[in-house]
Amino acid sequence: MLHINDLTYRIEGRVIFDAASAGIPAGHKVGLVGRNGSGKTTLLKLIAGELHADDGGTSLPRNARIGIVAQEAPGGPDSLLDWVLAADVERTALLLEAETATDPGRIGDIHTRLADMNAHAAPARAATILAGLGFDEAAQNRPCSEFSGGWRMRVALGAILFLEPDLLLLDEPTNYLDMEGALWLETYLKNYPHTVLIVSHDRDLLNRCVGFILHLEKGKLTLYTGGYDDFEATRRERQRLDQKMMKKQDDQRKHMQAYIDRFRYKASKARQAQSRIKALEKMEPIAEHVAERVAPFQFPSPARLLANPMIRFDEAKAGYGDGPIILSGLNLRIDQDDRIGLLGQNGNGKSTLAKLIAGRLAPVEGRRLASEKLGVGFFAQHQMEDLPDRQTPLDHIIRLMPEASESQRRARLGAIGFGIEKASTEAHKLSGGEKARLLFAIAAFHAPHLLILDEPTNHLDVDSRQMLVHAINDYQGAVILISHDRHLIEATADRLWVVRDGTVTNYDGDLDQYRSECLGERGLDKRRDKAERKAAAAADFAQARADKRRDAAGRRASAAPLKKDMERHEKRVSELQRQIAALQQQLGDPGLYERNPAKAADLGKESGRLTRALADAETAWLAATEAYETAAKVDA
């Protein structure tokens, strides 16, 4: 389906991709992972044609449709449902033309194409997708302009899902979703009928809905089979074997070099020494794996703990100004060692509860009781947008440490991951992960008794998320977590609260149980919507579906020989690789050149012949694969 061939791309002289290659078969779900700043989003833009490679490139079957979420959120007076439906440009144009067309032949063509597209079922399908992303029926009919940027980005995601492109490119799609929306998206992607390439640092999503991991590291791409946990285990084992092979190769080099140094100037041994010199020159060194350091997060614990409960609510109600009451009946307490995860759909009042706990919002009724000495650190995603563009991390530390020396400030910055260069980098040039790291440091700077973290992982890679888990667990104060990252909540929270139906209650189950409840409710809605769509469309499209099934059966039969040809070439490639590996193992024996130099020469020639044969076999395999995938695409 997607071939990345010797892709090279630079940004301001820095190499992002260095002759990177990979292949993704049609219909596969692949997670693209790598450190922040490694180039994952850049790769999606290169595939989508928004950027152009310096060398090499990407290839897709002819007429393959690519879908990528727009960077700008939709706005304007159109309703959410209308905006999503308008994303299908062909359907919209055909419906408009159907209202004005007068030629009988053209009218027939229009309605045939609309039937093939299942166009009359499109509103129900679009509504189902929007419902899965958290929009009820009333919200779907409201104008886009009434929603915040985060909610509108959900609509943009819904539009791409509605289009069902042949290659779906998603860049951190759960960043704007609550846990319920993330669970729905996980199920949707597992059942998606085409190819998906998804950039995500959500290890639960990558474990549950992808079958391959494409790892981007140091400008190279490596494809691993399985979910994220499988990838981590395989990569660790590969690194262990590389280290072991590197040591073995170093020993071989030292042995061969010692022989050369001893005998290269002796006439009787000159030929053998020259042979070892050539072998030494051809020996490809195994690169040493140097682990990239991830700076830890630091949440200083409060110097003095407060008596329990630190915060208590008695029959409290929360709202904004003269507006409606959002939360009521709040009878809650927070102790100094609590780790509480907040569950519930976006819009139910989780952020309102967080502000109420932090003291940024006063109860409309009831009481909030807290110690006067209570310190609260608050992290929220919107704060990233509020960072002054021209201020640097050093500027923020100067404000927080006005009496400190330059060396003390630099030491503090270094401890939170900002070295000399990054410390003086203006905010608008920092990555999302770096901004998050800075905001963590600001929120926890004065060692608060309570940390409130609202979606803290959105811009962190997997390794940084794990560092955040360690920091939370090491912190001695209380923590309130609002996050769609199930791994983070499972690894840190010991209590769960559910925000729904206008109040907050304790949840006695675990996240697996909560997940089952969410999917059960959504599954019921999905089955009901599907039944309604089928009933509405059955009469119009029954014959068209039968014709398509008959045509598809014929195309599958014609594609069968192409599949066999592809499998035959693949077996040939595997056999040649096995033979070359066996020869290389024999040639790697230093004693062979001394015992039987003629055999060593013959094996070298045979290795060269097999290598050329492998290149030809791989070319034939790629051609056969493309031919089969093209036929399969027509069938789809």
Side-chain angles (χ1 to χ4, degrees), residues 128-135 151 154 157-158 161 177 181 184 522:
T128 300
I129 291 172
L130 286 172
L133 294 174
F135 298 99
W151 284 95
R154 291 193 188 200
L157 172 60
L161 299 180
L177 301 180
W184 176 87
R522 302 223 174 186

Side-chain angles (χ1 to χ4, degrees), residues 118 121 533-534 537-538 541-550:
N118 208 7
R533 292 199 306 271
K534 288 180 68 176
F541 306 123
Q543 187 59 47
R545 287 173 179 169
D547 292 341
K548 289 174 71 176
R549 284 196 297 269
R550 191 163 50 249

Side-chain angles (χ1 to χ4, degrees), residues 175 177-178 342 346 349-355 360 377-384 436 439-440 443 451-459 468 472 479-484 488:
N175 272 5
L177 301 180
D178 50 29
L342 299 187
N346 283 353
K350 295 195 299 294
S351 295
T352 299
L353 177 63
K355 293 175 184 177
R360 298 186 177 188
F378 200 117
F379 173 93
Q381 281 301 307
H382 68 82
Q383 294 171 339
M384 297 179 65
L439 287 172
F440 284 139
L451 273 177
I452 300 176
L453 305 178
D454 188 352
E455 294 295 354
T457 62
N458 275 0
H459 296 278
L468 180 60
I472 291 173
V479 178
I480 304 292
L481 272 174
I482 304 173
S483 178
H484 65 267
L488 177 69

Side-chain angles (χ1 to χ4, degrees), residues 97-162:
E97 187 178 357
E99 296 178 358
T100 58
T102 56
D103 179 65
R106 179 55 185 161
I107 293 173
D109 291 341
I110 291 172
H111 285 283
T112 298
R113 178 57 184 154
L114 288 171
D116 290 340
M117 298 169 63
N118 208 7
H120 296 288
R125 186 163 63 87
T128 300
I129 291 172
L130 286 172
L133 294 174
F135 298 99
D136 59 22
E137 184 177 356
Q140 292 176 22
N141 291 295
R142 289 166 54 195
C144 293
S145 57
E146 291 186 6
F147 292 87
S148 66
W151 284 95
R152 281 186 276 164
M153 287 307 298
R154 291 193 188 200
V155 182
L157 172 60
I160 294 300
L161 299 180
F162 171 72

